[in-house]
Amino acid sequence: MKHFSSNYNLSNPSVIYEGASQFELGTLDGKVINYNFDKILLYLQIKGKLMFGKNFKIYNEDHELILKLSSYFIQDRQFALKFGIDIDKGLLLSGPVGCGKTTMMMLLPHLVPHKRKYSIVPARNIVFGFNAIGYKMIEDYCDAKDYCFDDLGVENIGTHFGKDCNVLGEILISRYDLFKDKGIKTHCTTNLNAEEIQERYGERVRSRMRELFNLVGFEANSVDKRL
């Protein structure tokens, strides 16, 4: 059984209500919450069914990954460091098609409903927007909000008035500057490996991604959970 600790100012944010049901994810000791991983798994299983339907399930082989991600989301710095995770950086969650990357990035923020949320935006939708309105689309994502760019790498090269642009590459460079200057986080999901990311976006972007993100991934042989 794994336990986490985290500091909060609210009365007891480890207690979450879903309708008439109450889920206690840990115990409050002063201002420190001692989270219980078994209780986290139970809550995520139930919340997942509410969000994604009755066929949702958490697979045993994903428990270690969920443990890593949970330590990040509850901001347990010491526990996260055991996994090589820096809670001040964003997440780059990788894995094969259908393994549950987007699902996890939608589900896990519900562990900390009192925390600032990020918006999940499909990468290809951003490129569609760029093709229509041009560089304003890039500017729109260079703000102080937190984002998760979903399915990084499946998008096409953007084209506006005959000029090509690697739209997500440009956005990531701008988001890197925001991270360095103001600590604003960016998250991504992707099917690409490190070599494919460099081929798609170039060494300049990949080198910044090393500083922007914690690299966390599903196993390469993870099953397609959408089947």
Side-chain angles (χ1 to χ4, degrees):
M1 184 182 297
K2 303 294 191 303
H3 293 269
F4 307 99
S5 296
S6 191
N7 293 300
Y8 298 106
N9 295 322
L10 300 182
S11 57
N12 192 353
S14 69
V15 176
I16 299 177
Y17 295 90
E18 295 290 344
S21 300
Q22 174 181 305
F23 298 89
E24 187 175 345
L25 306 186
T27 58
L28 183 65
D29 181 10
K31 290 187 177 181
V32 176
I33 298 172
N34 295 307
Y35 281 93
N36 182 298
F37 185 56
D38 291 337
K39 293 181 178 180
I40 284 176
L41 279 178
L42 175 63
Y43 170 71
L44 292 176
Q45 180 75 37
I46 293 170
K47 182 65 175 178
K49 288 183 182 295
L50 291 173
M51 292 177 65
F52 306 113
K54 63 180 181 179
N55 292 326
F56 173 86
K57 65 177 288 188
I58 291 177
Y59 290 72
N60 290 338
E61 57 264 33
D62 294 336
H63 282 193
E64 183 175 345
L65 174 63
I66 294 172
L67 176 61
K68 293 178 184 179
L69 293 172
S70 296
S71 70
Y72 176 86
F73 278 93
I74 66 171
Q75 299 282 277
D76 185 332
R77 190 177 298 274
Q78 288 187 331
F79 201 89
L81 280 175
K82 294 180 180 179
F83 295 112
I85 294 175
D86 182 346
I87 64 172
D88 296 319
K89 296 164 64 171
L91 293 171
L92 177 60
L93 183 57
S94 64
V97 172
C99 66
K101 300 181 296 295
T102 306
T103 297
M104 285 296 110
M105 294 303 287
M106 294 173 66
L107 178 60
L108 284 161
H110 290 278
L111 293 175
V112 283
H114 54 294
K115 292 284 188 177
R116 170 174 166 161
K117 299 294 188 292
Y118 49 77
S119 299
I120 298 180
V121 188
R124 63 180 184 175
N125 287 5
I126 297 173
V127 175
F128 292 154
F130 174 86
N131 293 344
I133 66 174
Y135 286 87
K136 183 181 183 304
M137 198 68 183
I138 295 176
E139 295 170 5
D140 286 347
Y141 290 100
C142 300
D143 57 15
K145 297 178 182 177
D146 293 348
Y147 293 101
C148 175
F149 300 125
D150 191 34
D151 271 343
L152 184 74
V154 304
E155 78 282 357
N156 294 320
I157 293 294
T159 304
H160 186 68
F161 283 110
K163 293 184 178 181
D164 291 346
C165 178
N166 193 324
V167 179
L168 267 296
E170 292 299 322
I171 289 175
L172 289 174
I173 288 172
S174 297
R175 298 291 300 180
Y176 170 82
D177 293 336
L178 287 169
F179 170 70
K180 297 297 285 186
D181 293 343
K182 300 179 181 179
I184 295 169
K185 292 181 180 179
T186 304
H187 310 287
C188 291
T189 70
T190 186
N191 301 330
L192 303 182
N193 59 36
E195 291 73 26
E196 290 168 332
I197 287 174
Q198 180 163 328
E199 182 179 347
R200 180 73 171 77
Y201 299 102
E203 176 58 32
R204 181 173 174 231
V205 173
R206 185 185 173 189
S207 66
R208 284 161 173 77
M209 290 175 75
R210 293 188 185 102
E211 292 188 62
L212 262 177
F213 300 122
N214 293 287
L215 236 6
V216 187
F218 285 85
E219 295 293 333
N221 60 352
S222 292
V223 299
D224 187 338
K225 300 176 177 71
R226 295 180 295 197
L227 296 178

